[in-house]
Amino acid sequence: MTCANHHSRLGFAMPSNSSAMFLRFTPLMKKRLTRRAQAMIGRSLTYFPELQGKSITVGYTRAHLGSAVLSYQRESEPRLIIRLKVRKLTYQTIGHELTHLVQGLGRGHGNTGSPFGWESIPSGEKQCDIWTLARDPLFCDDAPTYLRLPRVMREQWPDYAEEVRKLCITAIKKRENFRLYIRWLEGEIRKLAKGSRREQSAPEQLFLPFPDWE
Ligand SMILES: [Zn+2]
């Protein structure tokens, strides 16, 4: 499935606890890897208790988006592989690919310790975006790729990141008894963008001496 054959093995201790996690970098990635990217990957992993004790191979890609693969071998644990580009790497991208690994591991693979008590993460790209943003504000440093966002929100993502993350958390709760939670979420996101645009263009706001009067 992939050319993940002979990587050297680097022990990687998670800062937040002592359980071992093994990161392997492919030879190509080793050539490209920067100290910054390595630190970002290590930091991201501390937010994924589900991946504790697993070996993860990190490869290199030039593509705008990363990728994630679970490669199944006979009678052994699946091999977990993500590929990332190094230039302009974001926590959002790293988190998205790690979330794919958790999606792939699914239920009943020692998938414990998830934040918010998540038992499993449904498969799908939009689902991956939602669960990645919800996991931690760290992963909100860039706009998600697959979730439908109004243009203004992509252009001014930092202004909206926190609110969108809250909506994602609410959507995940809603999913328990509401099948159309993604449609709901994208509707709320649209409202959020419209609401703030109205606010910005409301002329009376420009003249109010004490906007926080009440
Ligand atoms: Zn994806």
Side-chain angles (χ1 to χ4, degrees):
M1 199 157 187
T2 172
C3 55
N5 284 325
H6 40 152
H7 313 308
S8 68
R9 185 172 244 243
L10 299 180
F12 186 84
M14 303 222 316
S16 62
N17 61 52
S18 59
S19 83
M21 149 118 37
F22 292 100
L23 267 187
R24 303 161 178 179
F25 296 100
T26 60
L28 184 57
M29 186 49 143
K30 268 196 220 156
K31 271 188 220 155
R32 307 294 165 116
L33 194 64
T34 59
R35 207 178 269 265
R36 174 177 170 272
Q38 187 166 357
M40 287 175 78
I41 296 165
R43 185 170 173 205
S44 298
L45 279 166
T46 65
Y47 293 86
F48 282 82
E50 301 99 317
L51 299 173
Q52 259 179 51
K54 313 260 186 225
S55 291
I56 300 173
T57 301
V58 183
Y60 176 79
T61 176
R62 254 179 239 282
H64 168 59
L65 303 168
S67 66
V69 180
L70 276 82
S71 148
Y72 287 89
Q73 297 140 319
R74 269 179 307 157
E75 296 174 28
S76 67
E77 292 233 341
R79 179 176 276 172
L80 310 181
I81 302 148
I82 61 171
R83 291 195 187 81
L84 300 168
K85 68 172 197 171
V86 171
R87 249 172 71 83
K88 294 185 184 166
L89 183 62
T90 62
Y91 284 106
Q92 162 60 215
T93 301
I94 302 170
H96 181 95
E97 301 315 333
L98 293 176
T99 299
H100 273 318
L101 296 182
V102 177
Q103 281 178 323
L105 288 172
R107 225 178 260 267
H109 280 83
N111 203 353
T112 54
S114 298
F116 309 106
W118 298 337
E119 280 186 35
S120 64
I121 300 176
S123 59
E125 288 293 356
K126 284 190 186 190
Q127 289 84 344
C128 191
D129 277 347
I130 295 167
W131 267 258
T132 301
L133 291 173
R135 184 171 290 263
D136 194 85
L138 181 71
F139 302 110
C140 301
D141 62 340
D142 198 11
T145 303
Y146 297 94
L147 213 50
R148 192 175 299 160
L149 300 183
R151 197 155 58 101
V152 60
M153 205 174 262
R154 288 205 179 274
E155 287 166 356
Q156 299 169 40
W157 172 250
D159 296 344
Y160 295 97
E162 199 185 321
E163 287 302 314
V164 173
R165 174 169 183 261
K166 279 186 202 155
L167 287 173
C168 288
I169 293 169
T170 308
I172 290 171
K173 286 199 194 105
K174 267 193 178 294
R175 176 180 170 258
E176 287 165 20
N177 48 30
F178 186 54
R179 206 167 51 85
L180 302 176
Y181 68 103
I182 295 180
R183 191 181 296 178
W184 173 85
L185 173 63
E186 291 184 330
E188 291 300 307
I189 286 174
R190 246 187 334 268
K191 280 189 221 160
L192 187 64
K194 277 198 188 124
S196 61
R197 206 179 299 150
R198 240 195 320 276
E199 228 167 75
Q200 282 161 14
S201 61
E204 62 272 24
Q205 291 226 334
L206 299 174
F207 304 112
L208 276 178
F210 303 110
D212 298 319
W213 190 258
E214 287 162 18

